[in-house]
Amino acid sequence: MARYETHCVTCGEGLTGRQVRTCSPRCRKAAQRPAPKLRTCRLCSQPFKPSGPGRRSVCPYDDADEWCQNLQDQAEDAEAARLAALEAATCACGCGVRLTYAGRGRPPRFASPACKTRTYRAAS
Ligand SMILES: [Zn+2]
Ligand SMILES: [Zn+2]
Ligand SMILES: [Zn+2]
């Protein structure tokens, strides 16, 4: 006996009338496509289904285990901190001069008062 789906196998939409497995030609096409190869999460080493464009190397956040989500949060924080450090590392005027940050108070943005003046003049 043939088994009839009650919901679209692709999007989970309820099926009506003569729809058998999928709710639309688009979903039918998607259902025929071979399932995407599983990838291994860089953080939790679990296989996951890559979704959408781009080359993900970690589980989609919404599908991830709680601890993988934590790892992703940490990775994001680390990345943000890295970017912030990089940003603070050179003069904001674009002259490329490296800034030294004592680690106290606000990190400097400019290598010299002249750089600051130049930037503000360029902006106005
Ligand atoms: Zn569908
Ligand atoms: Zn993961
Ligand atoms: Zn500068």
Side-chain angles (χ1 to χ4, degrees):
M1 199 176 107
R3 186 168 160 264
Y4 291 99
E5 307 283 348
T6 54
H7 291 83
C8 172
V9 296
T10 303
C11 71
E13 196 73 39
L15 296 179
T16 54
R18 299 176 52 213
Q19 294 168 339
V20 180
R21 261 166 60 80
T22 51
C23 68
S24 65
R26 196 165 151 261
C27 285
R28 192 172 64 223
K29 247 191 167 167
Q32 285 166 349
R33 232 183 284 140
K37 254 198 185 163
L38 293 182
R39 289 191 210 162
T40 304
C41 175
R42 183 167 56 85
L43 294 171
C44 68
S45 318
Q46 305 235 76
F48 69 92
K49 233 187 248 169
S51 61
R55 297 168 154 272
R56 294 192 64 99
S57 54
V58 295
C59 316
Y61 193 85
D62 292 336
D63 296 346
D65 291 341
E66 200 180 312
W67 59 287
C68 185
Q69 289 187 347
N70 283 334
L71 289 174
Q72 291 190 34
D73 288 343
Q74 281 169 24
E76 208 166 275
D77 288 351
E79 179 67 7
R82 197 183 65 85
L83 287 178
L86 267 184
E87 214 171 274
T90 53
C91 176
C93 89
C95 67
V97 171
R98 292 212 152 253
L99 300 174
T100 47
Y101 175 41
R104 253 179 291 121
R106 278 187 58 167
R109 293 190 59 218
F110 298 98
S112 68
C115 288
K116 192 171 177 176
T117 314
R118 185 158 53 229
T119 302
Y120 287 160
R121 226 177 262 153
S124 59

